[in-house]
């Protein structure tokens, strides 16, 4: 797809979702003008990039995450299938939710990074017959969204403030929140009455081979996610929890990508990373909790 038609294709996706988004400056309704811009009645204007994403953050924000990290992340997720068992579980949960719901069905990834999770999940749902699924990926990182739009044209991608996303109340069927911080008040505002939140948090064994090698003794303390899970339970009903645990054997190239995408290895320095690549394990443990819940009943 050429870059010009990519922008046009993406503008059409957003045009179909004009009632879902709102102006990030004044909160008014938005509309898509030609294949170029999103505009509100107060003339706040946001142009589509040629890759097909839109930057809905009024003032640009610095991000620690760079293009190199996101390319490594894409390789690990999309090429190596590092998270495939997790993705499979999410697809089955969203599929069940979809059967219960009414259209249109919006699936929002809050903190989507370079978009591989959302794109893979939406792709599998479509293959399974859910042709009307509409994926929205938002992240504060422009580098992440830029790459998401460059790689994946079927979803809507926007740079946006996760604490105050430019989306209207009660419009989203399922919120995905994968290894990323949460704001449950925002989830509550965005979800439809029968909407569902799906969150993925690391367990103590997650990437433990890397932690054992790169962390010092103080940093090796046992990680517990119990506070995160308890907090989630307070905010949602019909709580479900699934333990996702497996070991993945990685090629040398895949291991290099994993090192590049994992912040805990960065401060160790180049020499220590080389030592790992020379002698470290090629088997890596994935140990995650997938937690899901529905919106609490509204008290009238
Ligand atoms: Zn506005």
């Amino acid at each position: 797809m050429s870059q010009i038609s990519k922008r046009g294709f993406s503008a059409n996706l957003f045009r179909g979702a004009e009632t879902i988004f709102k102006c990030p400056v004044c909160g008014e309704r938005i509309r898509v003008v030609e294949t170029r811009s999103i505009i509100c009645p107060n003339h706040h204007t946001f142009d589509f990039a040629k890759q097909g994403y839109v930057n809905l953050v009024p003032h640009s924000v610095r991000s620690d995450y760079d293009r190199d990290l996101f390319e490594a992340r894409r390789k690990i997720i999309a090429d190596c299938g590092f998270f495939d068992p997790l993705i499979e579980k999410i697809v089955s949960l969203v599929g069940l939710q979809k059967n219960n719901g009414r259209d249109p069905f919006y699936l929002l990834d809050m903190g989507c990074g370079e978009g591989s999770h959302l794109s893979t999940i939406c792709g599998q749902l479509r293959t399974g017959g859910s042709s009307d699924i509409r994926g929205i990926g938002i992240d504060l990182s422009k580098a992440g969204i830029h790459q998401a739009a460059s790689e994946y044209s079927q979803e809507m991608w926007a740079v946006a403030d996760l604490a105050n996303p430019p989306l209207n109340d009660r419009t989203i069927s399922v919120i995905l929140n994968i290894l990323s911080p949460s704001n449950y008040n925002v989830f509550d505002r965005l979800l439809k009455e029968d909407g569902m939140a799906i969150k993925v948090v690391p367990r103590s064994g997650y990437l433990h081979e890397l932690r054992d090698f790169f962390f010092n003794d103080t940093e090796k303390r046992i990680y517990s996610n119990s506070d995160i899970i308890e907090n989630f339970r307070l905010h949602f009903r019909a709580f479900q929890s699934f333990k996702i645990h497996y070991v993945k054997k990685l090629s040398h190239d895949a291991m290099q990508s994993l090192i590049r995408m994992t912040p805990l290895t960065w401060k160790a320095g180049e020499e220590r990373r080389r030592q790992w690549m020379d002698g470290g394990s090629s088997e890596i443990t994935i140990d995650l909790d997938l937690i899901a819940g529905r919106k609490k009943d509204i008290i009238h």
Side-chain angles (χ1 to χ4, degrees), residues 9 54 84 96 105 120 167 241 248 268-269 285 297:
F9 186 83
V54 63
D84 280 359
L96 288 173
F105 191 95
T120 310
L167 296 157
S241 168
K248 187 102 185 160
T285 301
D297 296 325

Side-chain angles (χ1 to χ4, degrees), residues 65-229:
Y65 296 99
D66 63 6
R67 200 171 288 184
D68 196 43
L69 174 147
F70 286 118
E71 177 55 21
R73 194 173 180 266
R74 187 196 64 73
K75 280 187 182 160
I76 281 287
I77 299 171
D79 296 351
C80 307
F82 192 67
F83 291 102
D84 280 359
L86 170 70
I87 302 267
E88 195 179 308
K89 187 67 200 171
I90 294 175
V91 166
S92 99
L93 272 176
V94 176
L96 288 173
Q97 171 74 4
K98 188 165 187 322
N99 290 337
N100 297 336
R102 294 179 298 274
D103 292 333
F105 191 95
Y106 286 96
L107 178 58
L108 170 68
D109 189 351
M110 296 275 288
C112 66
E114 46 60 65
S116 292
H117 284 311
L118 179 66
S119 170
T120 310
I121 289 163
C122 288
Q124 290 188 16
L125 286 161
R126 289 188 189 110
T127 305
S130 304
S131 57
D132 56 347
I133 198 123
R134 299 176 200 181
I136 301 173
I138 62 173
D139 202 290
L140 192 54
S141 166
K142 190 177 167 187
I145 292 296
H146 182 281
Q147 189 176 321
S150 304
E151 291 286 335
Y152 309 115
S153 57
Q154 300 299 311
E155 326 308 332
M156 288 168 267
W157 306 107
V159 185
D161 179 1
L162 300 182
N164 189 18
L167 296 157
N168 286 314
D169 298 0
R170 294 183 295 281
T171 49
I172 304 298
S173 300
V174 173
I175 291 178
L176 296 176
N177 180 229
I178 303 174
L179 301 170
S180 176
S182 308
N183 181 328
Y184 297 135
N185 291 332
V186 170
F187 288 15
D188 196 52
R189 178 176 79 73
L190 297 181
L191 282 174
K192 291 182 180 180
E193 296 306 310
D194 59 352
M196 175 187 261
I198 297 176
K199 181 172 176 63
V200 176
V201 287
R203 292 171 54 84
S204 61
Y206 181 60
L207 308 181
H208 79 79
E209 294 85 355
L210 291 184
R211 231 190 314 260
D212 291 349
F213 188 84
F214 287 102
F215 275 13
N216 63 37
D217 288 343
T218 331
E219 292 166 324
K220 273 182 198 163
R221 66 187 184 282
I222 298 297
Y223 170 82
S224 167
N225 64 20
S226 57
D227 286 355
I228 296 175
I229 292 179

Side-chain angles (χ1 to χ4, degrees), residues 23-30 39-46:
C23 174
V25 179
C26 66
E28 286 283 346
R29 70 184 189 279
I30 58 103
I39 188 165
C40 84
N42 296 319
H43 306 290
H44 301 123
T45 305
F46 306 88

